[in-house]
Amino acid sequence: MSGHDSKYFSTTKKGEIPELKEELNSQYKDKRKDAVKKVIAAMTVGKDVSSLFTDVVNCMQTENLELKKLVYLYLINYAKSQPDLAILAVNTFVKDSQDPNPLIRALAVRTMGCIRVDKITEYLCDPLQKCLKDDDPYVRKTAAICVAKLFDINAELVEDRGFLEALKDLISDNNPMVVANAVAALAEIQENSTSPIFEINSTTLTKLLTALNECTEWGQVFILDALSRYKAADPREAENIVERVTPRLQHANCAVVLSAVKMILQQMELITSTDVIRNLCKKMAPPLVTLLSAEPEIQYVALRNINLIVQKRPTILAHEIKVFFCKYNDPIYVKMEKLEIMIKLASDRNIDQVLLEFKEYATEVDVDFVRKAVRAIGRCAIKLERAAERCISVLLELIKIKVNYVVQEAIIVIKDIFRRYPNTYESIIATLCESLDTLDEPEAKASMIWIIGEYAERIDNADELLESFLESFPEEPAQVQLQLLTATVKLFLKKPTEGPQQMIQVVLNNATVETDNPDLRDRAYIYWRLLSTDPEAAKDVVLAEKPVITDDSNQLDPSLLDELLTNISTLSSVYHKPPEAFVTRLKTTVQKTEDEDFAEGSEAGYSSSNPVDSAASPPATTGNIPQPAGRQPAAAVPAPVPDLLGDLMGLDNAAIVPVDEPITPSGPPLPVVVPASSGQGLQISAQLSRKDGQVFYSMLFENNSQTVLDGFMIQFNKNTFGLAAAGPLQIPPLQPGTSARTMLPMVLFQNMSAGPPTSLLQVAVKNNQQPVWYFTDKILLHALFSEDGRMERGTFLETWRSLPDSNEVQKEFPGITITSVESTIELLTAFNMFFIAKRKNGSQDVIYLSAKDPRDVPFLIELTAMVGQPGLKCAVKTPTPEIAPVFFEALELLFKA
């Protein structure tokens, strides 16, 4: 469609479908063309125009290429839901695949490949075989990709009809784009196949290298990726391959450059000449540097790949460290990645420049970036022994500026430096002790306590310093408590005087009697037993010489690094994870009709009902999801129902759970989700609930129609908490005027949706007599709260303090009135929100509660209200604050129920 075709999207007529049907059957070509454009426009904005399938297919018989493309686009979209009608278009496809115009021949084969319907696949084979040997290269390159699509639908058919051999023959084609597409198709087929299909030999290699110079940029990427999997026979062959590929490093497309780098790195493993390797490293540096002048998003991808490259070959960019210096307008994600690479490239030769940069970064406004910069200075000190003193000088200068988070980060890294160089830089401890009062972060406190304990004999007032921390021992996080315990024991062993002796008694008592932390308690008992039975053995254990820590800047395991380098310029190299860690390979399956799926369900132990003939039903609209139109069944055998659940929700019918085990109507009334007026007499009520530690979907079906309804099935769309049906349930046939209530067990985290958390739960229910009913429900978060969410007051307080203020979310509910504190606590306890404490704040009551979600994430809740007066304020603090809006929705429904 051209730019002035936007008018086709603006129609809002009530009789739109009948009018379109009339226009599609018009005798005038222009009217038919405009009508098809309107149909495509309606389809694009999500309207269901599947009822026009036959009329649109009739427009295929045209010489107009634009109209033909539009009709093919419609066919691709709706053929899966109308497989029987899609067969009507096969003759036109076959005819078009023999058209004199190569564009039409290619279009026909491409469209047939995109229609993933098994019935059409068998008709595709003959036209595809002809097109693979077509005189026109455009048709051949299109047919090559079509083979890969056909393999995905029916692998056996591709092998039996010899398509793989035809595809391999195309590698010898005289057109470079045909070669590139053949390589791309073979590579994709190889990924989905367990047997070796695409293996490059010396003959193939020459043809690929020749095609490389002439094909388009994406063709070059396909060929380079294939070449990177080829292992040269000897160093000489590897050098020849690299020489032919090196010019690709100058390409304007970033993907081509990274693919070339990947291929060269793989071949460099086989090259033995140090001169050749040195020259290649020099040649690879400029193109990698050039990538850093692109847009920030491309810079980030390039930096993630460079991060891997410099771990394997640091000499490539050893002289280019300046290009990784952060610019003032770099996004934070680019700055962070540049810091990582600068640490890896830091050496005795450039450390002064690097430290100046890091010192500058440590005075910026972005707190996370500043912290990372200070840590980077410490990592350089650990990595470069000769530069350690200069790094410490910079850290001391930063401590003197008295910025709280800078000081704390500096103390953390200085502790690591002490571990790396014991008994070397202890003279700076006095400077560190001056900052004791400013420490409020657990890791910084723990690091400072470790330093005091480790060097207690050199610090005159070590006992006073530790005593200042002991005053708040019960409220400290576990990390600080553990470090305090060990440091106090060290102090006692090094200075067994009266002061430390009293301190050790207090600490051991706190750590064994006053705590619920098993790690802390067990360590305290071990120390207590050691000190009381054999103090000398305690010295050997507690004051033992510690192993020297090493630089962690090359943190990837060598075998993982090698695997990631073979995946440069892919998502794997950005995530720094192997592909199998985030990509699930799906086995090639043959498409089945819904009736076959139902039959399999019944064989697996699900009960199935006899199908009942029913007349075509008008399109239904329930909730806010577009509904499909019904279809007229044949007289004797009902027509297969379109795979609507799979199409609209992105799932296949294998996941549909038949509904079982009727339960007599009982329990509280459920909210109506499908009223009888919209459900052709069927009314559905439903709500999430929890019973005996299990999540259920409570449902009530009421048949107000004149027909027996049976064969109920249910499907849940992807959702934030991955809710899905846990197992089979069955409901008996519903006679007119009867109802059945059931509780469907649910599982969590099976069917997760991407994007921000939401309470939306999309459900589809069907039976043998009616169309699919779609509705939306709310995920009630309190139905997911577990029974073990109760916290001790001390734990609640410690958790609240350990979470940053940014994790606290507040909301006011002006329409909610609390009648009494006791009834509110009772109500919330029934839904696994457990009372912790309450207090008065003027005339208002403040209640503290705790809860825990299915992943053991705590929710710390503070409710503030004046009894009898409208208005409730809720604050929730949790490690996952993005879930807070879902919690607030559930809380509001709970109080209003």
Side-chain angles (χ1 to χ4, degrees), residues 308 556 560-568 572 576-578:
L308 298 172
L556 289 177
L560 174 60
L561 180 61
D562 288 340
E563 185 178 356
L564 293 178
L565 286 169
T566 62
N567 288 293
I568 279 180
S572 179
H576 287 190
K577 291 179 181 179

Side-chain angles (χ1 to χ4, degrees), residues 198-220:
F198 181 36
E199 293 179 332
I200 300 175
N201 53 36
S202 54
T203 312
T204 315
L205 178 69
T206 309
K207 291 169 182 171
L208 293 181
L209 288 170
T210 305
L212 186 63
N213 297 322
E214 300 173 33
C215 60
T216 65
E217 50 195 22
W218 293 112
Q220 291 179 36

